[in-house]
C-alpha cells in the first residue's frame, strides 16, 4: 500500500503544554493523532511519520486506512462572519497569545472542532480507532497506538 502523507490535512498550532511551548500537529483524517515538536517543522515531520507508520500498521493487519480528504473545488475558502465584539476580542487575544494570525487561529479552532466532531461519530463497532496514550507528557516521538476494536490489542 502506498500513500502520500503530504496529501493529508495537517494543522499545526503553537501552545503551552505542561509548561513547555510546543507546536502541536493534528491530522484531520485521523482525529486522535496529536504530535508535538519544538518547531513547526518538527511537528509537521512527526505527523507525516505517524501517518506513514499507521498506514503500514493498518496494511499489516489487512485494514483499510482512511484516505486523504480531497478539497472540494466548489468552495472558495472564504467566509465572512459577524461576531459579537466580546467574542472577536477573545479570539484575537487567543491568536496573539499563540503567535498566529486571527485567520489562522480560526482555521485551527474550526479544524480541531471538525476533527473532534468527526471522531465522535466513530462508534464501538468501527474497525479501528486511534487511541492516544493517557496521562503522558507530550513527546517528540510518534505516540500513536492503533487499536483493533474487536480484540483491543495494540498494533505498532
Amino acid at each position: 500500500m502506498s500513500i502520500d502523507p503530504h496529501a493529508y490535512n495537517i494543522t499545526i498550532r503553537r501552545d503551552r503544554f505542561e509548561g513547555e511551548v510546543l507546536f502541536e500537529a493534528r491530522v484531520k483524517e485521523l482525529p486522535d493523532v496529536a504530535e508535538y515538536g519544538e518547531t513547526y517543522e518538527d511537528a509537521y515531520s512527526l505527523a507525516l511519520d505517524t501517518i506513514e507508520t499507521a498506514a503500514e500498521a493498518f496494511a499489516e493487519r489487512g485494514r483499510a486506512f482512511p484516505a486523504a480528504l480531497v478539497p472540494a473545488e466548489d468552495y472558495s475558502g472564504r467566509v465572512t462572519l459577524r461576531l459579537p465584539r466580546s467574542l472577536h476580542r477573545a479570539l484575537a487575544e487567543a491568536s496573539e497569545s499563540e503567535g498566529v494570525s486571527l485567520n489562522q487561529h480560526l482555521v485551527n479552532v474550526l479544524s480541531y472542532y471538525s476533527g473532534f466532531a468527526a471522531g465522535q461519530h466513530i462508534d464501538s463497532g468501527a474497525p479501528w480507532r486511534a487511541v492516544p496514550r493517557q496521562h503522558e507528557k507530550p513527546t517528540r516521538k510518534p505516540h500513536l497506538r492503533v487499536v483493533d476494536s474487536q480484540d483491543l490489542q495494540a498494533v505498532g
Side-chain angles (χ1 to χ4, degrees):
M1 172 180 182
S2 177
I3 65 158
D4 177 9
H6 296 277
Y8 285 76
N9 295 280
I10 300 170
T11 57
I12 300 175
R13 70 183 184 106
R14 185 181 75 132
D15 204 347
R16 186 171 295 278
F17 299 94
E18 296 186 16
E20 190 175 357
V21 176
L22 297 170
F23 288 84
E24 176 187 59
R26 294 209 169 254
V27 181
K28 181 177 183 178
E29 295 83 352
L30 304 170
D32 293 330
V33 169
E35 292 296 349
Y36 301 89
E38 291 181 2
T39 67
Y40 181 98
E41 292 79 14
D42 289 344
Y44 184 76
S45 178
L46 288 170
L48 293 175
D49 184 58
T50 297
I51 293 167
E52 291 174 331
T53 302
E56 290 170 9
F58 274 59
E60 288 173 9
R61 298 290 301 241
R63 301 281 185 189
F65 190 71
L69 299 174
V70 179
E73 294 182 21
D74 294 340
Y75 298 93
S76 69
R78 295 183 59 90
V79 176
T80 302
L81 297 173
R82 300 269 183 229
L83 304 172
R85 289 180 181 182
S86 59
L87 179 57
H88 188 171
R89 181 183 65 240
L91 291 167
E93 289 172 354
S95 69
E96 186 177 320
S97 73
E98 289 186 22
V100 297
S101 68
L102 177 58
N103 183 75
Q104 184 61 53
H105 178 67
L106 291 170
V107 168
N108 290 346
V109 168
L110 293 171
S111 295
Y112 177 81
Y113 177 78
S114 178
F116 177 79
Q120 296 300 307
H121 295 290
I122 298 173
D123 63 13
S124 60
W128 69 274
R129 63 188 174 99
V131 181
R133 294 181 183 156
Q134 299 296 318
H135 309 296
E136 289 187 14
K137 182 176 181 179
T139 178
R140 287 162 193 76
K141 296 179 183 174
H143 60 275
L144 171 73
R145 290 183 294 146
V146 178
V147 177
D148 184 326
S149 64
Q150 293 174 359
D151 59 13
L152 296 178
Q153 298 210 356
V155 176

